[in-house]
Amino acid sequence: MRRKSRFMKLASMLSVSVLLVGLIISCGSNSSDNGTQSVTYSDPTEAANGASSAKASVDMTSAMSEAAAGLSSSSNPSGYAPGKGGAKTTDTSSIANIDPKLKKLVDGMLASMKTPAVRNAVSKARASKAKVSMSPGAFTLTSSCTDSSGTFTITGTDTSVAGTYVEYTVDIRFDSCKDLPDAFGIYSVTTGTIHAYDKEMAGNAANTRNATIDLTAEKYDSLNLNAHVKTDVVKGTFNATDSGTATSRSGRNTANGSFSETDLINNETGTFYFTNMTGDWTWDFASPVETVTNTANGNFGLNFVNASQTLTLNIGLSNLQNKLRTNTDASIDQWVNGSVTITWTPDLSIFGCRSGRITFTTADATPLHYLSNLDTCPDSGTLQVNNATIVYYGPDDPNNIVITVGAVSVVRPDCSSMEGGICGN
């Protein structure tokens, strides 16, 4: 039986999830491939490894989207469910195929967005929405943090016009807000702010959402004399607009920000950044067929500094379009077109980490086909990756994935066997 393993299910590229007050976090912006040459693969295995960069980019975006959804303090627009056509679960393991340090930072940012202090404050902000709407002015709530050390303050203002639009602003301020230690004895003391604005027109004809997050978490080890071990800083500005009907919507999302972690014990700092990211999406539901299209542009990457090295990895998305169509039999067709540009500084090609542009092309007639949304490896389809062709269980070899470069082909039994990483690990 063919194994359906995780790999090229790019579903959820810029999946429409909700950040803070319904803000969608997305991956994209200006093209970063200026002057960068396309990668020319010398063998099929190298091509299979390089293709994992798209999978990792999407998983990172999906993971951040899911975390963002957990911070939502606004109801979702009726008729449109965020994440339509996207993956149901989040997995950041593929990000290690780009660089293990990048995965660690992405996981760190996700954890910072889901700390007990933040979850507790956002939950109370959400619960306070009704009180805000009943207040003639601003509503303010101050509460103790998880272990009663430090406080957070919620200020909300409702400026809605009945029958026309719902509009409100929520601000959360953390003042030395301490969490209880986790299973490893590590606890955080959080300081900073979250600001969220949401305006929803009647009938969800159009919506505007803006949010900023600026939090610093000092990490301490309760099992080691409360030693100060790390400092995490997360900053971001997110904007989203959408409009349409209950069966057809479109929108644009933008994001800028960073997450940095300083390891005080090892004297090293890693920074994950996302710069000038934009995403344009459309969602159409012509019953019973549903189509979601996301087009991403922009840059994200890693900067790592310690006493002996400085490493920078930048990944640019240039019109990377991910189109998902859910058919009447619940199967899914997917088209991936566009490019990812990878730049390593310094040059790490000697280690197999190649800089360059990787372009994905999916012909209209041969999309990546999944039997259901639960499958993470295509049942059929053809994906062009620069000068390589990847055919999933095609008529010439229905039991294998065939990767071809020039006159040379290799076969793989399933998608997991192709996850070598962009550095050929």
Side-chain angles (χ1 to χ4, degrees), residues 1-5 377-378 393 398-403 410-418:
M1 178 180 292
R2 182 184 309 156
R3 278 175 51 197
K4 293 292 184 181
S5 301
C377 186
Y393 311 107
N399 297 313
N400 289 294
I401 302 170
V402 180
I403 307 102
V410 299
V411 298
R412 295 289 183 266
D414 52 44
C415 288
S416 63
S417 61
M418 297 169 59

Side-chain angles (χ1 to χ4, degrees), residues 215-395:
L215 298 175
T216 298
E218 305 291 352
K219 302 291 186 71
Y220 298 88
D221 186 350
S222 64
L223 304 180
N224 186 24
L225 301 176
N226 295 311
H228 187 190
V229 293
K230 292 181 181 179
T231 299
D232 293 348
V233 179
V234 55
K235 298 176 181 287
T237 301
F238 310 92
N239 301 283
T241 59
D242 68 87
S243 61
T245 67
T247 59
S248 179
R249 300 191 72 83
S250 62
R252 163 167 282 204
N253 319 302
T254 66
N256 284 277
S258 66
F259 169 79
S260 66
E261 181 173 82
T262 299
D263 187 328
L264 300 175
I265 296 177
N266 296 313
N267 190 29
E268 58 187 27
T269 298
T271 301
F272 160 62
Y273 62 85
F274 42 103
T275 306
N276 295 326
M277 299 164 73
T278 65
D280 294 289
W281 58 270
T282 61
W283 174 81
D284 293 289
F285 182 66
S287 182
V289 176
E290 179 184 60
T291 303
V292 179
T293 302
N294 297 286
T295 302
N297 286 281
N299 300 273
F300 66 86
L302 158 74
N303 182 261
F304 181 80
V305 179
N306 63 18
S308 61
Q309 68 170 320
T310 297
L311 171 69
T312 300
L313 164 65
N314 187 78
I315 298 176
L317 308 181
S318 182
N319 293 323
L320 184 60
Q321 184 184 81
N322 180 50
K323 179 180 178 181
L324 291 162
R325 182 181 66 197
T326 302
N327 303 307
T328 56
D329 61 356
S331 67
I332 294 175
D333 291 319
Q334 178 184 38
W335 292 262
V336 182
N337 294 283
S339 65
V340 175
T341 299
I342 298 170
T343 306
W344 297 91
T345 306
D347 181 5
L348 299 180
S349 57
I350 190 174
F351 302 107
C353 304
R354 298 181 60 179
S355 295
R357 184 169 64 253
I358 303 173
T359 300
F360 303 92
T361 305
T362 310
D364 290 343
T366 54
L368 305 181
H369 183 75
Y370 305 86
L371 295 180
S372 76
N373 194 41
L374 299 178
D375 286 339
T376 54
C377 186
D379 185 72
S380 63
T382 300
L383 179 67
Q384 190 76 29
V385 184
N386 285 13
N387 61 315
T389 302
I390 302 175
V391 178
Y392 294 86
Y393 311 107

Side-chain angles (χ1 to χ4, degrees), residues 42 44 387 403-410:
S42 57
N387 61 315
I403 307 102
T404 302
V405 173
V408 180
S409 296
V410 299

